[in-house]
Amino acid sequence: MKTRLLFAVAVMAFATCAMGATPTVLKLQRGGTTVPTTTLLGGAPLTNLELDPAMTGGDTDSINANGLGLKQIVNRSIAHGHAGSNRIGNATRAKSNPGLLRGFDGLNFFDQRFANGGNQFSVEPPDQGLCAGNGFVMESVNDVLSIYDRSGNELVGPVDLNTFYGYPAAINRGTLAYGPEITDPSCYFDAATQRWFQVALTLDHIGTTPFLAGTNHLDLAVSKTSDPTGGWIIYSLPVQNNGTQGTPDHGCDLGFCLGDYPHMGADANAIFLTTNEFSLFGSAFYGAQIYVVSKHALASGAASANVVLFNTGSPAVSVEGFAVIPSIASGGHFASLHGGTEYLLSSDAVFSNAGTSNNLWLWSVSNTRAIDTMPANVTLNFSSLTVQQYAVPTSLAEQKAGDTPLLDCFATSCAPTYLGYPTNVYPGPRALAVNDSRMEQVSYANGMLWSTLDTDVLLADSSHGSGIDYYVINPNTGFVSANNTLALPDANLTYGAAAIKQNGNGVIAFTVVGPNDYPSAGYASFDAKTGAGPVHVAAAGAGPWDGFTGIPFFGSGPRWGDYGAAVVDGNSIWIASEYIAQTCTLAQYLTSPIGQCGGTRGALGNWATRISLLGF
């Protein structure tokens, strides 16, 4: 029996609760303008300053490797426990890919590290911001973007995000001056306004020093036309929420909040930006934040735009919001009830000491048409949905053995000679991180919400792995019409992203990785009647992941992507997933320029992305 059989859940008491707190009304101010322009790839292949000292990029707090004593601050998890699951993965693998129209390699570690003349840090994971429309495909990752035509020809890129947003370089290697740290990019093409929206979290340094100032903001770029290769307008929204720069004071420990993990959605009237709010210099979590921004003002290039902020960490809210993900409407078919409504979803197993839950939270922001004239009249409601039990994955993902020249370098005199680090033997290939059970991308199509999250499963050898729970939800009744687990018996599926056409046919994109699989770009069909179909591999990995976060010396756990992406484009669907596109030996790694293996990787990492066009 395949795991794509449906599990329908009738919610016995679907009660919608209005949030009691008064929303905070803010103003988003217009800043500068930008035009995406390809930057020079180059610079020294390896320096003694490969990582931003203020950013080590882990999911748990620890002192970073550069000794500045700052906490790891990017994409934090708050998972309390891991109970494990007894659900066995038994999906099948497809023998062919009839729905795969075309695919091409997107951005990779080499592009990221050596953009802007090499004035970039080594960064992993990439994260995945993909959007498409009007004949263009735009991909943004940590910390570069590129724009392609539908055939995969690169029109612009790679463009480092510091340059795109009008900032100095991440690191000027001539003067050692630091620019702002940019992370967690996401993008969206709005068919209704024919505008492109690109958002990222930006953290300011104290001047040009390596120390963080505490201020941080969501930088939102909006295209001036339907052509993303042309001009953009940049808006900046402070999110330190300590009473400075017009922000409310949420009382975050040590004086500054952090607007982590920004995600974007839209309805007919507003753009929705959501964050997970942590203490920037501490470890406390203060609840998800929902920012409602006037879409009309943004699309018209107005000098300012109304913003409504809902703080799910407020005492007036009786539930815990974490990774509250706004929905993206298929083909511009937005929900029109109650004066315009945007639906959002979140999960809550991360709050459980057992690491399990059979509950999701449905959030709805209504009367969004009031955002331009009476923003305080925009309302937030929430309700509980009963689903099959899911669990925070309990283990890392084993990967197929192969050449890992970075690990091999650490095991020999190569490390002190070329990398400047002490010799140490680390077993390889190291397992890579799977996601926690936070909600992934949410789509609104055919009047339903479609989404996924990662869950713990049992593999055929009785070890624990990662599978993907999927959902089809009627937001008006709370009825969950499709809910089951997509999982293989011999490999992990992780970082799922679902996109659904208006006719109800869609795709779940993910990474496939296991003892017999290098990290690969995968997908499965998805519809309300049959659930998820067999697992397809759009592009098989060429070798193991071999990145610096898998080496304990750097003070953080193994990292993979934090999210994937899938987007409807007319009658087709684009997907993008992280995978490994190259392999090389230690001898090839040591061939000048060191660590680049013919321009396919950098000295400290080898991640890549795969962009595929599907026709279902």
Side-chain angles (χ1 to χ4, degrees):
M1 181 181 299
K2 298 178 181 177
T3 56
R4 62 189 180 96
L5 296 179
L6 301 188
F7 177 81
V9 179
V11 180
M12 301 304 295
F14 179 67
T16 299
C17 303
M19 181 173 166
T22 302
T24 302
V25 178
L26 307 169
K27 281 286 187 180
L28 178 67
Q29 301 298 327
R30 173 174 168 162
T33 61
T34 188
V35 176
T37 305
T38 302
T39 57
L40 176 69
L41 286 170
L46 188 65
T47 72
N48 60 1
L49 190 59
E50 284 296 313
L51 310 182
D52 187 336
M55 304 280 289
T56 56
D59 277 336
T60 56
D61 291 333
S62 67
I63 302 301
N64 69 42
N66 299 73
L68 292 184
L70 297 177
K71 296 285 188 177
Q72 298 180 149
I73 57 178
V74 182
N75 297 310
R76 293 174 171 179
S77 173
I78 57 174
H80 290 180
H82 302 269
S85 170
N86 59 3
R87 189 171 299 123
I88 298 176
N90 55 7
T92 61
R93 295 182 187 241
K95 296 181 179 179
S96 62
N97 297 325
L100 181 61
L101 302 180
R102 70 179 70 96
F104 58 93
D105 282 347
L107 294 161
N108 62 29
F109 190 98
F110 181 87
D111 298 325
Q112 184 280 313
R113 171 60 182 82
F114 298 105
N116 197 14
N119 290 305
Q120 296 262 96
F121 292 106
S122 289
V123 174
E124 67 175 10
D127 298 342
Q128 180 54 247
L130 180 79
C131 48
N134 197 36
F136 298 95
V137 179
M138 179 170 164
E139 181 188 28
S140 53
V141 300
N142 287 331
D143 281 318
V144 286
L145 67 80
S146 281
I147 301 170
Y148 310 89
D149 65 20
R150 284 178 57 90
S151 297
N153 299 306
E154 192 172 39
L155 305 176
V156 180
V159 183
D160 67 289
L161 293 187
N162 282 65
T163 296
F164 176 76
Y165 282 109
Y167 293 119
I171 176 66
N172 183 316
R173 297 197 176 277
T175 65
L176 297 185
Y178 288 74
E181 177 68 35
I182 301 177
T183 188
D184 288 357
S186 183
C187 74
Y188 164 69
F189 173 71
D190 186 69
T193 60
Q194 291 289 294
R195 293 294 184 269
W196 300 76
F197 297 84
Q198 163 82 20
V199 70
L201 170 64
T202 300
L203 300 101
D204 298 322
H205 286 271
I206 299 174
T208 60
T209 73
F211 297 95
L212 293 179
T215 52
N216 59 109
H217 35 99
L218 300 184
D219 284 339
L220 178 62
V222 183
S223 69
K224 295 181 178 180
T225 70
S226 60
D227 183 351
T229 67
W232 295 64
I233 298 169
I234 299 172
Y235 295 84
S236 185
L237 179 66
V239 292
Q240 64 266 16
N241 291 340
N242 63 352
T244 64
Q245 298 180 337
T247 64
D249 190 350
H250 290 174
C252 289
D253 186 32
L254 300 180
F256 291 90
C257 300
L258 169 71
D260 190 34
Y261 200 69
H263 276 64
M264 180 162 46
D267 81 339
N269 307 300
I271 294 294
F272 294 80
L273 305 175
T274 63
T275 66
N276 283 334
E277 188 163 278
F278 291 90
S279 168
L280 175 57
F281 296 117
S283 57
F285 175 62
Y286 291 87
Q289 308 297 306
I290 302 172
Y291 295 89
V292 186
V293 188
S294 168
K295 187 164 70 172
H296 171 74
L298 294 174
S300 65
S304 64
N306 286 341
V307 179
V308 171
L309 167 60
F310 293 103
N311 175 16
T312 74
S314 165
V317 181
S318 58
V319 302
E320 294 178 288
F322 175 71
V324 177
I325 306 299
S327 59
I328 297 173
S330 174
H333 294 271
F334 305 110
S336 59
L337 293 176
H338 310 299
T341 297
E342 168 75 356
Y343 297 108
L344 310 90
L345 290 173
S346 65
S347 61
D348 62 8
V350 293
F351 296 111
S352 165
N353 289 331
T356 62
S357 178
N358 64 349
N359 183 75
L360 300 180
W361 290 99
L362 169 64
W363 308 78
S364 59
V365 179
S366 298
N367 197 26
T368 60
R369 67 186 176 191
I371 187 66
D372 289 308
T373 56
M374 301 185 70
N377 288 350
V378 177
T379 61
L380 175 68
N381 301 292
F382 55 90
S383 53
S384 174
L385 305 176
T386 301
V387 296
Q388 74 174 18
Q389 188 178 84
Y390 58 96
V392 178
T394 59
S395 59
L396 302 174
E398 183 182 355
Q399 55 175 339
K400 183 178 178 180
D403 287 312
T404 52
L406 176 59
L407 282 182
D408 294 342
C409 185
F410 267 89
T412 68
S413 60
C414 163
T417 301
Y418 298 104
L419 302 184
Y421 299 115
T423 298
N424 206 333
V425 177
Y426 302 108
R430 295 186 64 83
L432 56 85
V434 297
N435 203 4
D436 60 19
S437 61
R438 71 185 67 192
M439 187 62 62
E440 295 282 0
Q441 182 173 304
V442 180
S443 294
Y444 177 75
N446 197 25
M448 309 291 278
L449 294 174
W450 312 67
S451 193
T452 65
L453 55 77
D454 278 20
T455 187
D456 191 79
V457 296
L458 284 178
L459 303 180
D461 61 2
S462 297
S463 65
H464 287 274
S466 176
I468 295 173
D469 269 14
Y470 55 82
Y471 308 94
V472 181
I473 299 165
N474 185 324
N476 299 314
T477 66
F479 186 77
V480 184
S481 60
N483 174 202
N484 213 307
T485 304
L486 177 67
L488 288 172
D490 59 347
N492 295 268
L493 307 180
T494 189
Y495 297 102
I500 312 296
K501 295 188 293 184
Q502 193 60 23
N503 65 4
N505 293 329
V507 171
I508 304 172
F510 42 79
T511 294
V512 183
V513 58
N516 302 310
D517 295 271
Y518 299 127
S520 303
Y523 67 93
S525 62
F526 184 24
D527 63 65
K529 293 182 179 179
T530 58
V535 171
H536 298 254
V537 173
W545 164 67
D546 184 37
F548 70 90
T549 62
I551 298 174
F553 174 85
F554 289 95
S556 61
R559 295 297 304 276
W560 191 243
D562 289 309
Y563 43 91
V567 60
V568 173
D569 182 19
N571 292 321
S572 305
I573 295 176
W574 290 97
I575 62 173
S577 298
E578 186 180 354
Y579 88 125
I580 298 300
Q582 66 83 238
T583 186
C584 63
T585 64
L586 178 59
Q588 292 169 319
Y589 177 90
L590 292 176
T591 300
S592 181
I594 187 173
Q596 295 187 2
C597 294
T600 63
R601 62 166 294 159
L604 296 187
N606 69 334
W607 57 258
T609 65
R610 183 72 177 184
I611 301 172
S612 303
L613 181 64
L614 302 172
F616 281 100

